Amino acid sequence: MPELPEVEVVRSGLARHILGARIDAVEVLETRSLRRDPGTAAEFAAFLRGQKIVDVCRRGKYMWLRLSAGPEDAAPQSGPCDPTALVVHLGMSGQVLLTEAGAPDHRHLRLRLALTGPDGDRLDMRFVDQRIFGGMYRDPVVGVVDTEGQAVPAASRSVLDLAEIPATVSHIGRDPLDAHFDEASFRRRLSRTSSGIKRVLLDQTTISGIGNIYADEALWRAGLHYATPARSLTQPQAEELLAACTEVMTAALAEGGTSFDALYVNVNGESGYFERGLNVYGRSGEPCKRCGALVVRERFMNRSSYLCPVCQRGR
């Protein structure tokens, strides 16, 4: 499943191209891609037609568009936003592609939004999804405040920095690249659970955006075994782990993200390639880049964990 860097690559690509674009038409080719939407395909399309895209937002692995039905000649970010956002959930194999209007259809095309850009260019925003685990849906936004009750930007990355988030995303924690990520709160959460540290990293309500690949990479950088009880970490270890999470995702963003699912592509159809920089994930039987011991693969929560048995000794 795409992790934070992959989703941010898509979000930033969309933001560069579709801010201020008007949605002229909506084509639903697969209703299962709307399974999370509260209404019918016709209602979904009717809601979007005529709306202007004024923001592309992300928190963790979740992305959404803010819309406005303001005047056509208004600036892209002027006027109030619609209180309902369009959530884009990539699932396991979802892709969001931008193409010229009239370009040949992709094999697994599920949804098509015909857009007119601020410069008058016509293009398609296409949702392509082989496995149909992802999709789009409408969701009302809710307000976000900090511990003192002050409104704060809800998204980790956006243009408008609004203190509003789709209701179904509101339970998702901040990610390490978020300016409002609370490090002290994260350390307190660690101290209160005996769960293995990798389980905690994968808990999107505690810290978002990290999946199996980057969890393994961060744990290797911090020299921690995946089953180490979270509460056993010292403050310096917790700080080093958080720094490792930030470093590995920042590096992935710089290289365009990665996914071992060959279906992942960014907004222009270009595959991510951070796998070139992976230190342990997918390298079972190869020498550790730090100590030379052979990397091992172990079963973990119906998936795999990769680690160095020397650099990351057990509990």
Side-chain angles (χ1 to χ4, degrees), residues 176-194:
L177 304 185
D178 191 321
H180 294 276
F181 181 81
D182 189 336
E183 295 185 19
S185 176
F186 174 68
R187 291 195 299 270
R188 285 195 298 272
R189 294 284 292 269
L190 295 185
S191 68
R192 293 170 183 168
T193 179
S194 58

Side-chain angles (χ1 to χ4, degrees), residues 120-150:
D121 290 346
R122 302 180 73 83
L123 67 157
D124 285 351
M125 187 175 99
R126 301 180 176 187
F127 187 77
V128 177
D129 188 7
Q130 178 178 334
R131 300 175 188 172
I132 320 183
F133 291 154
M136 297 184 184
Y137 61 95
R138 295 166 291 159
D139 196 21
V141 297
V142 296
V144 175
V145 296
D146 61 17
T147 55
E148 298 180 353
Q150 299 298 311

Side-chain angles (χ1 to χ4, degrees), residues 14-251:
L14 289 174
R16 287 194 299 272
H17 296 289
I18 68 172
L19 284 180
R22 186 184 67 247
I23 303 172
D24 296 322
V26 177
E27 186 177 3
V28 178
L29 294 93
E30 175 53 71
T31 57
R32 287 179 292 174
S33 295
L34 298 182
R35 64 168 62 89
R36 296 176 179 84
D37 190 79
T40 66
E43 291 168 342
F44 175 84
F47 168 78
L48 292 177
R49 279 194 297 269
Q51 295 266 33
K52 182 181 294 184
I53 299 168
V54 296
D55 206 354
V56 185
C57 314
R58 178 192 59 76
R59 180 186 281 199
K61 306 176 188 180
Y62 294 80
M63 180 171 62
W64 65 94
L65 308 183
R66 295 306 305 268
L67 308 167
S68 173
E72 291 188 11
D73 59 351
Q77 288 84 44
S78 66
C81 288
D82 194 290
T84 297
L86 177 65
V87 179
V88 182
H89 179 58
L90 297 179
M92 293 292 292
S93 59
Q95 306 168 24
V96 181
L97 305 177
L98 294 179
T99 69
E100 294 181 355
D105 287 352
H106 296 77
R107 180 180 178 188
H108 300 292
L109 178 63
R110 309 303 182 190
L111 304 167
R112 185 198 335 262
L113 275 61
L115 310 178
T116 298
D119 54 4
D121 290 346
R122 302 180 73 83
L123 67 157
D124 285 351
M125 187 175 99
R126 301 180 176 187
F127 187 77
V128 177
D129 188 7
Q130 178 178 334
R131 300 175 188 172
I132 320 183
F133 291 154
M136 297 184 184
Y137 61 95
R138 295 166 291 159
D139 196 21
V141 297
V142 296
V144 175
V145 296
D146 61 17
T147 55
E148 298 180 353
Q150 299 298 311
V152 291
S156 302
R157 293 290 187 276
S158 72
V159 175
L160 300 180
D161 286 337
L162 299 176
E164 298 173 336
I165 192 168
T168 58
V169 185
S170 61
H171 68 290
I172 297 299
R174 301 272 185 180
D175 65 67
L177 304 185
D178 191 321
H180 294 276
F181 181 81
D182 189 336
E183 295 185 19
S185 176
F186 174 68
R187 291 195 299 270
R188 285 195 298 272
R189 294 284 292 269
L190 295 185
S191 68
R192 293 170 183 168
T193 179
S194 58
S195 295
I197 187 58
K198 184 173 179 179
R199 285 180 179 268
V200 177
L201 292 180
L202 296 179
D203 178 1
Q204 300 300 298
T205 65
T206 298
I207 181 171
S208 67
I210 302 173
N212 204 43
I213 296 175
Y214 298 128
D216 281 357
E217 290 297 303
L219 290 168
W220 179 84
R221 291 190 184 213
L224 294 171
H225 190 281
Y226 64 85
T228 300
R231 67 181 357 156
S232 71
L233 268 61
T234 63
Q235 180 169 328
Q237 284 178 315
E239 292 173 349
E240 184 177 0
L241 175 60
L242 188 56
C245 292
T246 303
E247 290 166 4
V248 73
M249 289 195 290
T250 300

Side-chain angles (χ1 to χ4, degrees), residues 257-269:
T258 185
S259 175
F260 275 61
D261 185 337
L263 296 170
Y264 169 70
V265 291
N266 72 15
V267 71
N268 294 315

